[in-house]
Amino acid sequence: MFEKEEKKLHELKKEYANVEIPKEIDDYIRSGIRKGKKSTPQPFWRIGMVAASILLIIFLTTIRISPGFANYVSTIPGMERIVELIRHNKGIMSAVENDYLQEVGITKEEDGVSLTIDAIIMDEAQMLIFYTIESDHNYPTINLSNIKLKSQTGEELDVDGLSYGSHGEVMKGEKVSGQIKIIYSDKEVIPEKFNFETGVNINEVEIIKGLNFPIEVDTQKFSAITNGIAIDKSVEAGEQSIYFEKMEIHPTRIALFLEYDESNTHEIFRFDDIALEDEKGNRWISDGSSSMEDNKIVIYFESNYFSEPQQLDLVFSSFTALPKDELEVVVDLEKESIIKAPSDKRLKKVWLDDGEKDRKGIYFQIEVDPKDHNYFFSLFNNNIIDANGTVHEYTTRTYSNIDGTNLYEQGLIVDTDKIVSPITLKIAEYPARIKEKVKVKIK
């Protein structure tokens, strides 16, 4: 099978083999790095001609191993850009290799901006929508806005979560692609036919509104059923008890349900290296997302739905945690001093910025481990309690690292003129760690 596509791809391979790599390629790369440092981190990758050529050649050299990829690359426009978006998630890559992707290919154009919905992947847990934007002008930023899913009758469908990125320094005629992740509400069932609605922001201003894309779901393609595994095991790590209840394996991700014992002495924030590991040493890591209600946690992983390992273990060796009696931080705003903080003295200093509105607030400096340099965590929850007991909420944080040091700075943007000192904050995440190797047999 795929002989026709394979022949076509090998012909393309010869053409790509003759692509002349510019002598200035190093300059281009350095320029791209400089641009990346200036722009906001984005959960997607952009791909240029040379990179696309290399990526396609990689596909071609593995065509015997993965005929499904050969089929997709040769039949779906922009597939190489989709693969570049998902290549860091082996579960989604496996889904695509197993024909678990539906081409959509609907394009809408307005005010010189073309938006194409390329393809979708969906299961009982979430939906991924892949898109491409092309513009007839250069823009510093372009991103989607006011995204909604609607029924055919116009009723807005309920979703629990929605995430997507922004595209920086978009050049005229350049195709940039992105991925939208939509988490369903427990009470919502996505209908076979629905409308995807979005606007387009250019330079942070919504220029295009209400683009509508009618999508009909291939229910036969997305008919995979969730696999459930009961774990029902408790483990001790750093004298903290963790109960692992169950695991739900969806085609796009795995949900691990666990619970922290209320009698634990420490508040557990985050696992550093938690993963699922099979009998061959293959690992499926956390995709970085989780949900929490009281002591009950759900951690999401790359999916091994199409791999079907014979044996499976849950492994980890480190997690961030802090004694529960050290979660409170008290600050004197007038003296810009810390009255109460965790005993490890990682929290170094506090100061106020009374400058511009988008900078005015309370700033903290904390010492982190080297592994945290590129991880931007929220140090405190959203509530600031002042000396009168009044609760002040902030909605914006700033993050920065001090180059050449292990120091990390976080700002809470809030009008400090309305806050009576001293204030009390509760730590939401902290870089102190408990280290202990743990293995839990899943099957």
Side-chain angles (χ1 to χ4, degrees):
M1 60 189 300
F2 305 119
E3 288 85 356
K4 180 179 179 181
E5 290 85 353
E6 184 174 342
K7 181 179 178 181
K8 178 181 177 182
L9 288 170
H10 278 296
E11 289 174 355
L12 287 171
K13 180 181 177 182
K14 291 178 181 180
E15 294 180 20
Y16 278 108
N18 294 322
V19 171
E20 182 179 352
I21 305 299
K23 294 179 181 180
E24 303 87 354
I25 185 66
D26 290 337
D27 293 333
Y28 295 159
I29 293 172
R30 282 191 290 269
S31 175
I33 292 173
R34 287 195 296 270
K35 291 178 181 178
K37 288 181 178 178
K38 294 178 183 177
S39 56
T40 303
Q42 302 166 4
F44 62 86
W45 296 81
R46 286 192 290 163
I47 182 166
M49 185 194 306
V50 174
S53 305
I54 294 170
L55 188 59
L56 185 53
I57 290 171
I58 291 172
F59 293 158
L60 295 169
T61 57
T62 60
I63 193 168
R64 294 289 182 186
I65 300 173
S66 183
F69 260 25
N71 183 38
Y72 276 121
V73 172
S74 63
T75 59
I76 299 181
M79 186 60 206
E80 72 280 0
R81 292 191 297 276
I82 293 176
V83 173
E84 183 68 2
L85 291 168
I86 66 175
R87 66 187 178 88
H88 297 287
N89 187 316
K90 66 168 63 177
I92 303 299
M93 288 284 282
S94 178
V96 172
E97 286 184 307
N98 283 274
D99 198 24
Y100 204 79
L101 178 143
Q102 176 185 335
E103 180 185 5
V104 177
I106 301 175
T107 300
K108 296 291 178 72
E109 188 170 352
E110 190 173 317
D111 292 336
V113 176
S114 170
L115 173 63
T116 300
I117 303 302
D118 298 306
I120 61 171
I121 295 176
M122 66 183 299
D123 57 21
E124 296 173 307
Q126 65 178 355
M127 173 164 51
L128 305 177
I129 299 178
F130 301 97
Y131 66 89
T132 297
I133 296 176
E134 186 175 3
S135 172
D136 61 4
H137 287 83
N138 299 336
Y139 292 115
T141 63
I142 291 182
N143 63 278
L144 304 186
S145 61
N146 293 320
I147 293 175
K148 297 174 184 176
L149 297 186
K150 292 185 175 181
S151 68
Q152 285 190 299
T153 58
E155 180 183 0
E156 188 170 346
L157 303 178
D158 190 24
V159 299
D160 274 351
L162 193 155
S163 62
Y164 54 97
S166 177
H167 307 272
E169 298 192 39
V170 177
M171 308 305 290
K172 177 181 178 180
E174 175 187 16
K175 292 183 178 180
V176 293
S177 294
Q179 169 187 297
I180 306 157
K181 180 186 291 187
I182 299 171
I183 310 296
Y184 315 139
S185 164
D186 290 338
K187 62 183 179 181
E188 190 67 78
V189 176
I190 302 300
E192 183 177 339
K193 296 180 179 180
F194 68 92
N195 292 315
F196 172 77
E197 184 178 296
T198 183
V200 177
N201 279 2
I202 296 177
N203 302 339
E204 308 305 324
V205 177
E206 190 175 48
I207 302 299
I208 302 171
K209 300 182 179 182
L211 291 179
N212 187 59
F213 298 82
I215 296 176
E216 183 171 353
V217 179
D218 185 340
T219 54
Q220 184 174 357
K221 180 182 287 291
F222 298 129
S223 60
I225 303 299
T226 298
N227 296 329
I229 298 178
I231 303 174
D232 192 25
K233 293 179 181 178
S234 292
V235 299
E236 295 287 328
E239 300 182 349
Q240 310 304 306
S241 179
I242 306 171
Y243 171 67
F244 294 97
E245 179 189 0
K246 64 180 180 178
M247 197 164 69
E248 292 179 353
I249 306 175
H250 304 277
T252 65
R253 69 176 184 176
I254 292 174
L256 173 69
F257 295 77
L258 60 147
E259 187 173 353
Y260 302 135
D261 195 309
E262 291 186 358
S263 65
N264 285 346
T265 59
H266 283 58
E267 184 89 1
I268 298 173
F269 303 116
R270 174 176 58 91
F271 292 91
D272 287 314
D273 57 354
I274 194 166
L276 296 163
E277 192 173 90
D278 71 5
E279 69 279 3
K280 298 178 182 178
N282 297 313
R283 290 167 63 90
W284 292 268
I285 63 174
S286 169
D287 67 7
S289 59
S290 63
S291 60
M292 181 174 182
E293 184 175 349
D294 298 324
N295 287 325
K296 295 184 178 182
I297 321 296
V298 184
I299 300 176
Y300 299 100
F301 295 79
E302 299 171 326
S303 177
N304 58 20
Y305 188 94
F306 296 99
S307 303
E308 299 182 349
Q310 297 301 307
Q311 299 177 28
L312 195 63
D313 295 314
L314 178 72
V315 297
F316 61 90
S317 64
S318 173
F319 54 91
T320 58
L322 193 67
K324 290 181 178 178
D325 60 2
E326 296 188 12
L327 294 174
E328 191 174 88
V329 172
V330 180
V331 173
D332 186 328
L333 296 181
E334 295 176 356
K335 296 181 179 179
E336 296 184 309
S337 63
I338 298 172
I339 300 172
K340 181 182 179 182
S343 59
D344 62 4
K345 300 187 184 303
R346 284 179 178 267
L347 200 57
K348 298 299 182 183
K349 65 178 182 178
V350 61
W351 69 96
L352 303 184
D353 189 328
D354 292 324
E356 299 177 6
K357 183 177 180 181
D358 62 348
R359 289 286 304 172
K360 185 172 184 176
I362 309 166
Y363 289 77
F364 293 86
Q365 186 182 91
I366 186 169
E367 183 179 359
V368 300
D369 294 338
K371 67 173 62 179
D372 293 321
H373 279 190
N374 295 316
Y375 177 71
F376 296 99
F377 59 91
S378 298
L379 184 57
F380 301 107
N381 67 17
N382 286 334
N383 294 334
I384 300 173
I385 303 174
D386 72 10
N388 291 335
T390 304
V391 178
H392 304 264
E393 291 189 3
Y394 63 92
T395 57
T396 305
R397 302 179 180 90
T398 65
Y399 307 87
S400 63
N401 287 325
I402 300 177
D403 291 342
T405 73
N406 288 334
L407 297 176
Y408 166 90
E409 294 181 352
Q410 183 167 139
L412 314 180
I413 308 303
V414 64
D415 186 356
T416 52
D417 294 336
K418 300 178 180 180
I419 301 176
V420 181
S421 181
I423 63 169
T424 302
L425 305 104
K426 184 177 180 181
I427 290 176
E429 189 167 350
Y430 196 80
R433 286 180 163 79
I434 292 175
K435 298 181 180 180
E436 184 172 335
K437 290 186 177 181
V438 173
K439 178 183 285 190
V440 181
K441 185 173 181 59
I442 303 298
K443 70 173 184 176

